[in-house]
Amino acid sequence: AGFSTALSQTPSISSISSEGREDLQVNQLETQIWIKPDIQKTDVDFSEILNAIQEIAKDVNIFFDELEGVNSPSKDDDSLLHHGNLTSTSDDASRLEVVGEEVPDKNKTNGLYFRDGKCRIDYILVYRKSNPQTEKREVFERNIRAEGLQMEKESSLTNSDIIFVKLHAPWEVLGKYAELMNVRMPFRRKIYYLHRRYKFMNRIEKQISRFRGWLPRKPMKLDKETLPDLEENDCYTAPFSQQRIHHFIIHNKDTFFNNATRSRIVHHILQRVKYEEGKNKIGLNRLLSNGSYEAAFPLHEGSYRSKNSIKTHGAENHRHLLYECWASWGVWYKYQPLDLVRRYFGEKIGLYFAWLGWYTGMLFPAAFIGLFVFLYGVTTLNHCQVSKEVCQATDIIMCPICDKYCPFMRLSDSCIYAKVTHLFDNGATVFFAVFMAVWATVFLEFWKRRRAVIAYDWDLIDWEEEEEEIRPQFEAKYSKKERMNPISGKPEPYQAFADKCSRLIVSASGIFFMICVVIAAVFGIVIYRVVTVSTFAAFKWALIRNNSQVATTGTAVCINFCIIMLLNVVTSETLIIFFTEQPRTESEWENSFTLKMFLFQFVNLNSSTFYIAFFLGRFTGHPGAYLRLINRWRLEECHPSGCLIDLCMQMGIIMVLKQTWNNFMELGYPLIQNWWTRRKLRQEYGTQGKTSFPQWEKDYNLQPMNAYGLFDEYLEMILQFGFTTIFVAAFPLAPLLALLNNIIEIRLDAYKFVTQWRRPLASRAKDIGIWYGILEGIGILSVITNAFVIAVTSDFIPRLVYAYKYGPCAGQGEAGQKCMVGYVNASLSVFLVSDFENRSEPTSNGSEFSGSPLKYCRYRDYRDPPDSPVPYGYTLQFWHVLAARLAFIIVFEHLVFCIKHLISYLIPDLPKDLRDRMRREKYLIQEMMYEAELERLQKERKERKRNGKSYHNEWP
């Protein structure tokens, strides 16, 4: 049995070249036949025989590896290739089973192990036989085996041209590279330190815990019985060391390194294996980029579905557990199992979902306050003096809002729009704008604290990124010039400063050109609005004719959304990549790409919103002297109730449509693609074929993760954060819509990662990267834009000036509803109808209102009447309102910025209890390592005493 174990631990027969495989198999079997009786008859030390056999096998394998390297054929090494069969097993695997220990049948059929059922598959490489890059793959795979990785090949069941290369890392390889990569592993159970408390505090805590026992169980917490015991979260960890392996908690060497860590180690090896002679002919990424391999991915841990209930039979694997506790729609109200997500997908993806969950949780107070502001507008609607005056103004006739076809209209016809405007523009709007500016700061500051806790729990505090490899594009471009790397001390390609500046100028010019394209699209929307309002005013249908301005705004927003999505698809990624300069490393390229892509997407999404908020109706002139576009089209005016209703429609429609489209593209597109693949497989192999496929075949048929990683997920949420904060004063329901979307978004992304995508490589990261700086920039911009929305777009400042200066309560220091009597009449100016220009004179003379042609009409502005010394000049009230608006912007910005900086100063980035826990853990780790080393030395000394061996006097 001991020899059988040794034989099973030697490299597989299939890993030896085809020329010497048969002789070695015969020799191994003959050795098995004659050595067992000798072990029984003689008193030779068995450990010496075992070591000798292992050395012989090792030498034989080395010999054949060298022989294969010398006499390698010009095609792929098919000695490892086994044609795919749903039921077949290889002869060498069955031979090993005879002399080795029994292997569960489940390991052979679930597609997660080699054919012997013992070696777990840690990584999959996929290539096509017809691919011409045969020699590079051959050298690469031979060097992989030289690194100690075990390899096995399998042809696809659906396409014989596709070959799967299965890789397994033995314990020795895992230990070696885990030490090189400073992988932290558990070595001692945590000892939780409790502060000493007074008796009075203990009594209070007992009463609180007794009271909590009466309350119902928290429904949002996950059931601990269904979650596995994640040992690394309950243990102190330290960088793995083979010399101190006795310090670590190793119950089973096969499960000591989890699957995500194993695949990360194998990927680390593959990135440093050469495939061709040359200084930079190294790494799996280059082979993927030149087409030598078609795909590379770690395997999912089996199926995410099970016939049995997880509550009665438990989870089949971590993927099944994640699906039931995280990706299922039935747990939408539960907290996320972030530790499980991190263990399965790695820290980088875990941090994204932690940030998304934190952002969603922080949206609850913002959504509640926004809903309160909206409901406050609903409850005070009947008491609003301005709305009452608009609805009762049947004798006030407004001037036409477009040339010729737009008729005169009563002010009371806009009663509904005045009431809707009050829902969003009321006394609580300023408070909500200040609250959201402070909320953005609190969100970011507390996220830094939350990230610190997560980094501590996930052992990311002391983790530093490795020295990154140079991008192949940079290397190919600047391989002629080299200089010494100050860190590694090796020569590397160098980009001259002049070349870097020129590329930066070209890149900036390209981004500026793309932004100009977006502005041109907005200009087209403006022309559409100007032309269409006249068309709708002359429409046959009375519903559209009477609501021409709303119909114009609604159709313009929908067309604008289509243009936004079209520009995103056509110009964004391709041109952004083209205009991105050539950074040295992949992270520098990602940061440059992220910044440019966000800038373009942000301008593309918000440019029309900025136009409506700050330019619509601001530069139209006045009746008789309208400003025109290209001296032809009269610029669009605001509705008699104000421009805020247009801004609300723009934000509401864009936000709902974009979130719906993004959710469909994120989940619907992969679902359709995977459904089509399954349909083709069912047509070819029947309904039972798909279930019998090995795991690598199932994962290969899934969709690969986005080439830009988590970029699209972060970009969608960051744009939503900007939409939620930048114009929130005009649309208080934006946080509520964002909250509802994010609750769905978390489960959509979880479902996509668990069921629709191949398993991504478990990558490490300490934070969310450049996105945090972008969030801070959006927070600063939101303060400025909200100040301008309140001061310029809404009627808050004109009403305030009227209440304190011109209304019934002028000089009394009051600003209630009774002080707003007469505001509507004071905000409208008088125009003499006979002063209309010929091209803007309406077709009707307004006789339908009073039975005789109108002599005067009213319009929104602060101008003198036509019979004044300076007709249609600005009144004193206009200058008072303008000064008040500028003063409000300055005071609002300085006040909010002071509050933001004060909050940032008062909230430390690291919680005090976490700082104490880190210090205590560092102290305890030093003590434990010292005690463990002392215990080992004492055991060695006792063993030497027991064996009677001489030793020197040594400490201890």
Side-chain angles (χ1 to χ4, degrees), residues 485-505:
N485 187 313
I487 298 175
S488 63
K490 299 179 181 179
E492 65 178 19
Y494 168 69
Q495 182 182 13
F497 180 76
D499 184 78
K500 186 181 295 185
C501 290
S502 62
R503 287 190 169 273
L504 189 62
I505 293 173

Side-chain angles (χ1 to χ4, degrees), residues 420-440:
V420 173
T421 302
H422 178 74
L423 299 180
F424 302 100
D425 184 13
N426 51 63
T429 303
V430 177
F431 161 75
F432 186 59
V434 175
F435 170 82
M436 286 302 297
V438 174
W439 173 87

Side-chain angles (χ1 to χ4, degrees), residues 296-349:
F297 53 89
L299 285 180
H300 278 296
E301 297 181 8
S303 176
Y304 63 90
R305 294 186 183 275
S306 177
K307 297 179 181 179
N308 303 318
S309 173
I310 191 174
K311 295 182 179 179
T312 57
H313 292 75
E316 297 286 339
N317 49 64
H318 281 122
R319 189 186 185 193
H320 178 216
L321 183 63
L322 280 173
Y323 177 76
E324 294 290 340
C325 298
W326 183 47
S328 176
W329 293 106
V331 293
W332 64 269
Y333 60 94
K334 298 279 189 180
Y335 291 128
Q336 298 184 85
L338 293 177
D339 290 328
L340 268 180
V341 177
R342 171 246 183 169
R343 182 169 186 168
Y344 194 83
F345 292 110
E347 287 79 2
K348 193 170 187 177
I349 295 177

Side-chain angles (χ1 to χ4, degrees), residues 236-462:
Y236 294 116
T237 60
F240 183 78
S241 172
Q242 290 181 317
Q243 294 181 350
R244 297 182 177 181
I245 195 171
H246 53 279
H247 292 172
F248 296 90
I249 304 174
I250 305 178
H251 302 301
N252 186 350
K253 287 186 177 181
D254 294 335
T255 59
F256 178 64
F257 296 103
N258 60 43
N259 295 331
T261 304
R262 294 174 69 100
S263 62
R264 187 156 54 89
I265 292 174
V266 172
H267 182 79
H268 177 87
I269 297 173
L270 297 179
Q271 291 295 83
R272 285 154 179 80
V273 172
K274 281 197 170 186
Y275 60 86
E276 204 174 51
E277 289 299 327
K279 181 176 60 176
N280 298 312
K281 307 296 184 180
I282 184 173
L284 176 62
N285 284 348
R286 288 182 171 87
L287 290 176
L288 289 172
S289 61
N290 64 27
S292 298
Y293 287 100
E294 188 173 301
F297 53 89
L299 285 180
H300 278 296
E301 297 181 8
S303 176
Y304 63 90
R305 294 186 183 275
S306 177
K307 297 179 181 179
N308 303 318
S309 173
I310 191 174
K311 295 182 179 179
T312 57
H313 292 75
E316 297 286 339
N317 49 64
H318 281 122
R319 189 186 185 193
H320 178 216
L321 183 63
L322 280 173
Y323 177 76
E324 294 290 340
C325 298
W326 183 47
S328 176
W329 293 106
V331 293
W332 64 269
Y333 60 94
K334 298 279 189 180
Y335 291 128
Q336 298 184 85
L338 293 177
D339 290 328
L340 268 180
V341 177
R342 171 246 183 169
R343 182 169 186 168
Y344 194 83
F345 292 110
E347 287 79 2
K348 193 170 187 177
I349 295 177
L351 270 173
Y352 162 71
F353 281 102
W355 176 84
L356 180 57
W358 183 258
Y359 171 46
T360 304
M362 289 293 290
L363 279 173
F364 273 97
F368 176 78
I369 299 297
L371 184 62
F372 170 78
V373 171
F374 179 78
L375 294 178
Y376 174 80
V378 173
T379 55
T380 59
L381 183 60
N382 295 328
H383 305 286
C384 178
Q385 181 63 31
V386 177
S387 300
K388 287 181 180 179
E389 290 187 0
V390 171
C391 294
Q392 296 171 1
T394 57
D395 56 338
I396 297 179
I397 308 301
M398 302 297 295
C399 297
I401 58 175
C402 67
D403 292 338
K404 292 188 176 181
Y405 298 107
C406 291
F408 294 99
M409 59 179 295
R410 288 190 175 93
L411 181 60
S412 59
D413 293 342
S414 61
C415 177
I416 297 177
Y417 303 113
K419 291 181 177 180
V420 173
T421 302
H422 178 74
L423 299 180
F424 302 100
D425 184 13
N426 51 63
T429 303
V430 177
F431 161 75
F432 186 59
V434 175
F435 170 82
M436 286 302 297
V438 174
W439 173 87
T441 302
V442 172
F443 162 67
L444 293 176
E445 291 300 321
F446 276 95
W447 162 246
K448 286 194 288 188
R449 294 166 61 88
R450 173 63 176 160
R451 188 208 62 83
V453 174
I454 292 175
Y456 168 78
D457 291 337
W458 291 356
D459 289 326
L460 299 172
I461 295 292
D462 299 325

Side-chain angles (χ1 to χ4, degrees), residues 72-76 131-142 274-277 287 292:
S72 59
S74 61
K75 61 180 181 179
D76 285 329
N131 190 286
Q133 305 283 353
T134 305
E135 187 175 350
K136 294 180 181 179
R137 283 197 306 270
E138 179 191 347
V139 176
F140 185 71
E141 291 171 5
R142 187 166 63 247
K274 281 197 170 186
Y275 60 86
E276 204 174 51
E277 289 299 327
L287 290 176
S292 298

